[in-house]
């Protein structure tokens, strides 16, 4: 079974631009979560989607948004990029949402650099 | 408050030796799951092992085992017979029944020496 895929793997943008990242979950997985990883803040939860609905959102400004499609693929968008948005963005998929025993499997990440 | 604490920022281990990575957690939920992930320099987070709060036995997956001490709120990862490919960052994470996300520790960098 194919793993979680994320595109693109690397992105370089300038301040003020916007960016869209894509995530395809493992086949059969319906829940997709997004995390931001930075050296200073570590791994922080962005949001979780299940059945095309955002179930939960982390403590991030409204510039960060996302959506999920009927095939469970998900995109996240960051508008008006700031230097501090430079990070590794990780997508994780799991079978269902809200089950603490359900393992989240991660993709390779998208490394975003904002200049 | 920090939910997951990993006190070892970095460790060196000799090839073929065992290494223990410490993880303590904080929760008032009776139901929770503990996870360990490996992150090589490439960035991908690789799932290693899972322990549920009601599991009576310590989890094992190949060379990985989890030393679960519930009363001490400790979930240490043991890697036996270390290999050069084990060099990576290791993260302990928890998912509580009343939460929806994984809460991660700061991670421990393991370097395996030949």
């Amino acid at each position: 079974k194919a793993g979680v895929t994320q595109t693109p793997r690397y992105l370089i943008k300038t301040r003020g631009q916007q960016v869209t990242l894509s995530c395809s979950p493992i086949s059969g997985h319906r829940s997709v979560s997004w995390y931001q990883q930075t050296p200073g803040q570590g791994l922080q939860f962005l949001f979780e989607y299940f059945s095309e609905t955002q179930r939960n959102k982390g403590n991030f400004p409204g510039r960060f948004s996302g959506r999920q499609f009927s095939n469970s693929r998900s995109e996240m968008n960051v508008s008006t990029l700031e230097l501090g948005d430079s990070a590794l963005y990780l997508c994780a998929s799991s079978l269902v949402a809200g089950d603490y025993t359900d393992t989240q499997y991660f993709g390779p990440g998208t490394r975003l650099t904002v200049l | 408050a920090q939910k997951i604490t990993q006190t070892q920022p970095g460790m060196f281990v000799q090839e073929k030796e065992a290494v223990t990575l410490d993880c303590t957690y904080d929760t008032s939920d009776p139901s929770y799951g503990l996870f360990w992930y490996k992150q090589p320099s490439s960035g991908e987070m690789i799932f290693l092992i899972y322990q549920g709060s009601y599991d009576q036995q310590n989890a094992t997956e190949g060379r990985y085992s989890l030393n679960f001490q519930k009363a001490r709120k400790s979930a240490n990862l043991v890697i036996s017979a270390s290999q050069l490919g084990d060099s990576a960052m290791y993260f302990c994470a928890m998912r509580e029944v009343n939460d929806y996300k994984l809460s991660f520790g700061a991670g421990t960098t393991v370097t395996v020496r030949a």
Side-chain angles (χ1 to χ4, degrees):
Chain A
K1 199 183 265 191
V4 179
T5 58
Q6 291 187 245
T7 56
R9 294 291 312 277
Y10 302 92
L11 267 178
I12 299 175
K13 293 285 187 180
T14 56
R15 278 182 300 174
Q17 288 187 308
Q18 76 165 18
V19 66
T20 298
L21 312 181
S22 180
C23 171
S24 292
I26 292 171
S27 177
H29 284 194
R30 296 170 60 197
S31 175
V32 172
S33 297
W34 289 88
Y35 294 83
Q36 181 197 64
Q37 185 179 24
T38 59
Q41 299 297 318
L43 282 143
Q44 293 184 287
F45 171 79
L46 278 158
F47 23 65
E48 178 192 28
Y49 286 88
F50 180 75
S51 292
E52 302 178 65
T53 303
Q54 186 182 89
R55 283 175 50 88
N56 299 290
K57 190 176 195 303
N59 189 23
F60 278 83
R63 300 185 297 107
F64 291 81
S65 63
R67 59 178 175 169
Q68 186 182 35
F69 302 94
S70 59
N71 61 358
S72 295
R73 189 177 70 86
S74 177
E75 290 181 346
M76 68 163 281
N77 183 276
V78 188
S79 62
T80 320
L81 284 166
E82 300 177 359
L83 295 178
D85 297 332
S86 294
L88 179 66
Y89 290 88
L90 290 161
C91 165
S93 80
S94 58
L95 280 168
V96 295
D99 181 352
Y100 72 92
T101 69
D102 195 15
T103 298
Q104 292 189 354
Y105 294 91
F106 285 79
T110 294
R111 196 168 293 277
L112 171 65
T113 302
V114 182
L115 302 175
Chain B
Q2 196 83 348
K3 290 192 176 184
I4 297 285
T5 302
Q6 294 180 256
T7 57
Q8 306 152 310
M11 300 181 71
F12 290 94
V13 60
Q14 210 59 32
E15 198 177 10
K16 298 179 186 176
E17 289 186 349
V19 61
T20 298
L21 308 184
D22 295 339
C23 172
T24 56
Y25 58 92
D26 183 26
T27 180
S28 56
D29 280 340
S31 306
Y32 52 89
L34 296 159
F35 303 81
W36 277 92
Y37 289 87
K38 170 186 177 182
Q39 188 177 43
S41 57
S42 60
E44 182 171 1
M45 196 77 74
I46 302 166
F47 166 69
L48 295 177
I49 197 167
Y50 163 80
Q51 180 86 41
S53 60
Y54 296 110
D55 293 343
Q56 295 296 312
Q57 295 197 325
N58 288 339
T60 59
E61 288 284 351
R63 293 187 300 110
Y64 303 106
S65 61
L66 202 152
N67 184 1
F68 181 47
Q69 297 186 45
K70 193 170 180 176
R72 297 179 59 185
K73 294 189 176 178
S74 165
N76 297 340
L77 177 71
V78 180
I79 307 173
S80 63
S82 295
Q83 302 171 356
L84 295 177
D86 293 335
S87 294
M89 181 86 102
Y90 289 81
F91 289 93
C92 179
M94 177 173 65
R95 202 168 180 187
E96 299 163 283
V97 70
N98 294 317
D99 204 346
Y100 40 82
K101 66 182 183 299
L102 279 169
S103 298
F104 286 88
T108 296
T109 301
V110 172
T111 304
V112 181
R113 290 170 162 160

